[in-house]
Amino acid sequence: MASRKGNGKSSNDGKGSNDGKGSNVSNKMWGGLFDESPDAIMEEINVSIDVDRHLYAQDITASKAHAAMLAKQGIITAKDAKNIAGGLDTILSEITKGSFTFKRALEDIHMNVESRLGELIGPASGRLHTARSRNDQVATDFRLFVRDTIDEIDAAFASLQRALVDRALEHADTVMPGFTHLQTAQPVTFGHHLLAYVEMVSRDRGRFADARKRLNESPLGAAALAGTSFPIDRHATAKALGFDRPMANSLDAVSDRDFVLETLSAASIAAVHLSRFAEEIVIWTSPLVGLVRLSDKFTTGSSIMPQKRNPDAAELVRAKTGRVIGSLTGLLIVMKGLPLAYQKDMQEDKAGAMEAYSALSLAIRAIAGMVRDLVPNEERMKLAAGEGYATATDLADWLVRTLKMPFREAHHVTGRIVGTATKKGVALHELDLKEMQAVEPKITAEVMKVLSVESSVKSRVSYGGTAPKNVTSQAKAWLKRLEKERKLG
């Protein structure tokens, strides 16, 4: 993608030859030194336009800013800058409309744009590349692309949070089983469970926001690796492109892709969160569990088993996570052994990252759709919440609170009572008081008030607990926060 000496390219649009006919077949962008065109295999491995064509908007935006700065600094004329800007606008329109022809022989988006610009405005187009290299050009374009992508992902996450909060408020007092080790642990509310993911997504958004802050420095003007002797104004181009400042070291500017790695790291963590929720949906929708139901919108059928309703959307979210994590791992391996400055290996920084960002964006929207679509089986949830002696901790807490029993002793007493209930095949609240008193004589009928699942969740009033009033309060606070974010844009 970026500049490199010695990677000759013919102008025959990807049909390379090695016929030794001289400079007439060498690449017009950098081929003055070369007498032969490259082998077809060299052309195929070298070309990047199939991937970096997605940077067209960023490439044109950066080029316009660069041309305007060159004119302001007196490096090119105002007339040339105006013609360049007009030509770039035409190219942007052509690409947007689908009438632009991308040529593989021109390798990348930069050379495709510059070549077309020459066709539109003539020799003045050649002045655009003054005081820059494809090295700082691609680094700038990709930073702009990743920044735009972060903004899009953040908006998708905000939409997911709103969906989760809306459903949490709706089900603030819907009792469901809480699990540890996938075993029934304590009753919680469905709203509380959903708000857990709101918090996770909030941290995901924070990681992306942090990555955005760090990447928001401009490489433009670093040129190939050493800067330039032209009197350019890098602060002006940085400001024009919405960067906070120009990067301080020209070598660093063109040679690192930590901004991609950091964003992919944030994407990987976020994808893991989505995958965990997707896994829960898969479990919950199983007929063996039956806690929720998805409609036809987010399920598929079977070609042979007419009764099947498969949670394929959730399963595919799990699978997309592998793609995201794989992209991070792949780029880490590409970058780990590269000396400064630019190396052609770095051309491989985009395909995986773009695929990962796309996969994450789709997964976010799929999870949001399923959150809005799913229908909890409230009766089944409540029944399951009481299974497995989920209120045993409430009994132990009552012994501590009412009988002033040390917790470890209360834990032991409760275990014996649960054992009695297990042998009789009844729930704790169904066990006869006398049978409890046979274990601990001081237990009174008052204990029955804490053994129902409704009583259990209502008692969890500590900050961050599952009590319905807590869930309602937290959900309303999140709605206000999200609405404020929306208004601030």
Side-chain angles (χ1 to χ4, degrees):
M1 176 177 290
S3 61
R4 168 186 166 182
K5 293 183 177 67
N7 59 348
K9 183 82 169 174
S10 76
S11 57
N12 61 359
D13 200 16
K15 300 177 181 178
S17 63
N18 194 13
D19 54 15
K21 292 182 180 179
S23 60
N24 63 308
V25 295
S26 59
N27 190 296
K28 68 178 181 180
M29 296 292 178
W30 46 258
L33 176 65
F34 295 84
D35 294 326
E36 294 183 81
S37 63
D39 188 89
I41 294 175
M42 177 61 197
E43 289 197 339
E44 187 62 27
I45 198 172
N46 192 51
V47 71
S48 65
I49 188 60
D50 296 337
V51 174
D52 62 35
R53 64 192 298 168
H54 297 294
L55 302 178
Y56 73 87
Q58 290 80 14
D59 191 72
I60 290 171
T61 297
S63 290
K64 290 175 69 176
H66 185 68
M69 179 276 296
L70 291 176
K72 186 176 181 180
Q73 295 298 109
I75 298 171
I76 66 174
T77 66
K79 180 180 179 181
D80 282 345
K82 182 178 180 180
N83 288 336
I84 288 170
L88 290 172
D89 284 338
T90 298
I91 294 169
L92 179 61
S93 177
E94 289 176 348
I95 296 175
T96 302
K97 292 177 181 178
S99 61
F100 186 90
T101 301
F102 291 97
K103 299 177 181 179
R104 288 173 61 82
L106 295 176
E107 295 185 12
D108 56 35
I109 185 62
H110 323 300
M111 293 171 70
N112 268 268
V113 169
E114 186 172 331
S115 176
R116 177 59 178 151
L117 186 63
E119 294 172 356
L120 291 171
I121 69 171
S125 66
R127 303 187 187 281
L128 174 59
H129 208 54
T130 305
R132 77 175 184 185
S133 162
R134 282 187 292 169
N135 291 356
D136 63 332
Q137 192 177 354
V138 68
T140 302
D141 292 354
F142 204 23
R143 280 179 184 261
L144 290 172
F145 180 90
V146 172
R147 190 178 71 185
D148 291 343
T149 298
I150 289 174
D151 292 343
E152 293 168 3
I153 288 174
D154 185 71
F157 269 137
S159 180
L160 171 57
Q161 285 183 302
R162 284 190 292 271
L164 288 164
V165 172
D166 286 342
R167 300 310 303 276
L169 194 58
E170 180 184 350
H171 293 283
D173 59 357
T174 299
V175 178
M176 69 172 291
F179 300 96
T180 61
H181 309 279
L182 208 55
Q183 305 296 311
T184 302
Q186 294 177 332
V188 295
T189 66
F190 188 47
H192 188 60
H193 195 107
L194 295 175
L195 286 181
Y197 284 101
V198 176
E199 297 292 337
M200 293 180 209
V201 171
S202 178
R203 294 191 295 275
D204 290 328
R205 295 179 67 188
R207 276 181 280 271
F208 277 106
D210 289 344
R212 191 187 193 284
K213 290 177 184 177
R214 273 183 285 278
L215 73 78
N216 205 36
E217 296 183 346
S218 175
L220 193 58
L225 75 162
T228 178
S229 59
F230 288 96
I232 61 173
D233 185 350
R234 293 190 61 211
H235 288 84
T237 50
K239 182 178 180 180
L241 295 172
F243 289 115
D244 294 330
R245 62 191 69 83
M247 296 185 73
N249 185 285
S250 60
L251 281 169
D252 176 46
V254 300
S255 65
D256 206 354
R257 292 297 184 268
D258 58 351
F259 68 97
V260 189
L261 291 170
E262 185 174 8
T263 309
L264 286 174
S265 297
S268 296
I269 296 171
V272 167
H273 286 154
L274 297 177
S275 184
R276 295 183 71 183
F277 193 20
E279 170 69 0
E280 290 188 319
I281 291 174
V282 172
I283 293 171
W284 293 345
T285 55
S286 168
L288 294 175
V289 178
L291 297 185
V292 303
R293 185 179 189 276
L294 288 172
S295 76
D296 296 351
K297 295 178 181 179
F298 290 94
T299 56
T300 65
S302 166
S303 63
I304 189 173
M305 296 170 285
Q307 84 283 7
K308 292 294 294 296
R309 182 184 292 274
N310 301 321
D312 282 6
E315 293 172 5
L316 288 167
V317 167
R318 287 187 314 199
K320 296 293 184 185
T321 301
R323 288 183 176 268
V324 177
I325 296 171
S327 295
L328 169 61
T329 304
L331 185 55
L332 285 168
I333 294 170
V334 167
M335 296 299 298
K336 72 174 181 63
L338 301 187
L340 301 183
Y342 182 83
Q343 314 293 327
K344 195 70 171 184
D345 313 51
M346 292 161 65
Q347 181 168 291
E348 295 298 315
D349 62 349
K350 295 165 197 66
M354 289 178 177
E355 182 180 22
Y357 301 147
S358 178
L360 178 63
S361 179
L362 181 57
I364 296 169
R365 288 180 281 129
I367 287 290
M370 284 183 281
V371 168
R372 296 186 184 97
D373 183 72
L374 61 82
V375 177
N377 184 335
E378 296 184 32
E379 183 178 350
R380 173 61 187 141
M381 280 186 167
K382 181 178 177 181
L383 180 63
E387 295 174 346
Y389 303 99
T391 58
T393 307
D394 297 275
L395 172 56
D397 288 348
W398 184 89
L399 294 172
V400 172
R401 186 171 53 251
T402 305
L403 303 185
K404 309 304 179 185
M405 190 179 290
F407 182 79
R408 285 303 167 200
E409 183 181 347
H411 187 284
H412 181 71
V413 169
T414 300
R416 290 175 62 194
I417 293 173
V418 169
T420 299
T422 302
K423 290 177 182 178
K424 294 183 68 67
V426 298
L428 276 178
H429 69 277
E430 296 172 335
L431 191 64
D432 188 83
L433 178 61
K434 291 182 180 180
E435 292 176 297
M436 292 188 188
Q437 291 172 334
V439 177
E440 174 49 62
K442 295 179 182 179
I443 294 177
T444 68
E446 188 73 16
V447 74
M448 295 301 180
K449 294 181 180 180
V450 304
L451 297 182
S452 71
V453 291
E454 294 90 349
S455 297
S456 177
V457 296
K458 286 180 182 178
S459 72
R460 307 295 173 180
V461 294
S462 60
Y463 182 78
T466 191
K469 68 176 184 179
N470 285 14
V471 174
T472 299
S473 176
Q474 289 286 342
K476 288 181 178 179
W478 267 110
L479 285 176
K480 289 181 180 179
R481 178 175 169 179
L482 292 168
E483 180 61 19
K484 183 178 179 181
E485 286 181 1
R486 187 190 65 81
K487 290 181 178 179
L488 291 174

